[in-house]
Amino acid sequence: IALFFVTMIAIIFRFTAISARIMQKQLFKALVIQTAIPCLFSYLPLALIFIFPIFGIHLGGFIGDLLIMSTALFPAFDPILITICVPSFREKTLLSFAKLVGQSARFNEWKAGRSKQRIMNLTTAINA
């Protein structure tokens, strides 16, 4: 019980209402993407494969192969799109890549300019 209350107090003091709202929007966007990717790359192609022959449409050759291969794409696309859409993941990934190619100083300059813009956006949200 003590661990629960200590965690609850830490969460209350750690997150303000604005940062929690921003995090909820990011989480919602990530969940929508994680729902849409399997629908587009797995369920839709499989539905077409099963439904088209009922109506007499033949999916042989390249189109049938393409639809079958697309069902294997969503496990690869899911982490890539989540990494791109969640800002904290995107910044960590870009920093790792910048360090890999030796451009970490340039990335830090870019991030400093972005943080100024983010502060302006937060102050606008607070004043609204």
Side-chain angles (χ1 to χ4, degrees), residues 42-63:
S42 186
Y43 305 141
L44 182 65
L46 287 175
L48 293 176
I49 289 170
F50 286 122
I51 291 175
F52 276 7
I54 294 172
F55 295 109
I57 301 171
H58 181 66
L59 289 177
F62 181 72
I63 295 175

